[in-house]
Amino acid sequence: MAETRRNDDTAGICPLCGSDEAGLHLRADGREYAHCPICRLIFVPPEFWPAPEAEKARYEQHRNSGSDADYVAFLKQLSDPLAKMLPQGARGLDFGAGPASDGHPVLCELLGAEGFECLPYDPYFFPETPEGPFDFIAASETFEHLRQPREEIGRIHENLKPGGLLGVMTAFWEETLFMNNWHYRRDFTHLCFYRLETFAWIQERFGFACRWTDERRVIILEKL
């Protein structure tokens, strides 16, 4: 399932802050997890990344439907607080939209129902990149899949207008949970795990301010 290639130039280098101080945190699930003491990211080294074909096949197992009340409630953890902060007529992007069972990503539909234009982007399922800049970018269950988070967050920042909002939903790691067979850790497509301290580093590095967080899995940042 995982590739065995290794790039020795980047082995052990944090893919977010670039520190070479990351050390082994855990061996489990047939792979390794490294922890960066600078930005507090936990990440999977490149030699344990899934092949793109396996990654896409895993995503295709998702049944993301607007008729699934539990799935809609899950997404509304992000869409509801984000919608309350957006100006009327805001235009945005669903970054990492994933497969859509009826051709329309549910997060786009939820934000569309609130009067906002939300366009999908996903490298596998919606590969045509809508033209920015945007008033908002929403990333639901996407940041944990990023192979190069520093580069991707930089592109997100570039495609937000000043004052634009970045809404992220990804389960924040906590030490006991992470070490105790956490289901979120065991998904082989999850490559990066964040904490509030990680997002504090992101704010400082890229020029964001935190507008709101539930301190568990959702954070909304404003581009300064």
Side-chain angles (χ1 to χ4, degrees), residues 35 39-42 170-176 193-202 219:
H35 173 245
C39 66
R40 302 301 309 277
L41 185 78
I42 289 180
T170 185
F172 302 162
W173 71 269
E174 180 271 323
E175 182 65 12
T176 301
F193 306 87
Y194 306 76
R195 289 171 62 93
L196 284 177
E197 294 96 325
T198 315
F199 281 101
W201 186 93
I202 289 170
I219 188 167

Side-chain angles (χ1 to χ4, degrees), residues 13-221:
I13 302 297
C14 176
L16 180 58
C17 72
S19 169
D20 62 0
E21 297 182 28
L24 178 66
H25 194 65
L26 179 67
R27 286 191 178 97
D29 318 309
R31 59 184 188 171
E32 294 179 357
Y33 302 87
H35 173 245
C36 176
I38 306 301
C39 66
R40 302 301 309 277
L41 185 78
I42 289 180
F43 63 93
V44 175
E47 62 267 33
F48 299 100
W49 290 352
E53 297 81 5
E55 184 179 35
K56 184 181 180 183
R58 174 71 178 92
Y59 299 155
E60 288 172 336
Q61 295 175 5
H62 296 174
R63 295 293 179 262
N64 301 338
S65 171
S67 63
D68 184 333
D70 289 338
Y71 181 63
V72 170
F74 179 75
L75 288 182
K76 285 172 74 67
Q77 295 177 91
L78 173 59
S79 66
D80 281 357
L82 180 60
K84 291 176 182 177
M85 299 178 189
L86 293 174
Q88 185 176 6
R91 176 177 177 269
L93 184 72
D94 179 358
F95 178 76
S101 60
D102 58 2
H104 302 284
V106 178
L107 185 59
C108 289
E109 292 183 345
L110 291 174
L111 290 167
E114 297 291 333
F116 310 113
E117 181 183 9
C118 185
L119 305 171
Y121 167 73
D122 187 283
Y124 290 126
F125 304 103
F126 297 92
E128 185 175 345
T129 306
E131 185 175 352
F134 302 101
D135 299 300
F136 68 92
I137 294 177
S140 171
E141 298 296 298
T142 298
F143 268 42
E144 64 273 15
H145 300 283
L146 298 180
R147 299 180 181 225
Q148 301 295 338
R150 183 168 183 159
E151 286 77 4
E152 295 291 352
I153 295 170
R155 281 191 281 270
I156 287 171
H157 187 270
E158 290 174 1
N159 279 283
L160 276 173
K161 296 177 182 179
L165 298 181
L166 168 61
V168 179
M169 182 157 65
T170 185
F172 302 162
W173 71 269
E174 180 271 323
E175 182 65 12
T176 301
L177 190 64
F178 193 90
M179 302 298 283
N180 288 341
N181 211 30
W182 189 28
H183 76 281
Y184 210 73
R185 186 200 76 203
R186 290 184 282 108
D187 186 325
F188 73 92
T189 66
H190 290 183
L191 305 177
C192 287
F193 306 87
Y194 306 76
R195 289 171 62 93
L196 284 177
E197 294 96 325
T198 315
F199 281 101
W201 186 93
I202 289 170
Q203 292 170 60
E204 178 69 21
R205 168 61 178 80
F206 291 97
F208 285 108
C210 181
R211 287 282 302 274
W212 182 84
T213 179
D214 66 359
E215 300 186 350
R216 297 184 306 107
R217 67 183 319 127
V218 179
I219 188 167
I220 297 175
L221 306 178

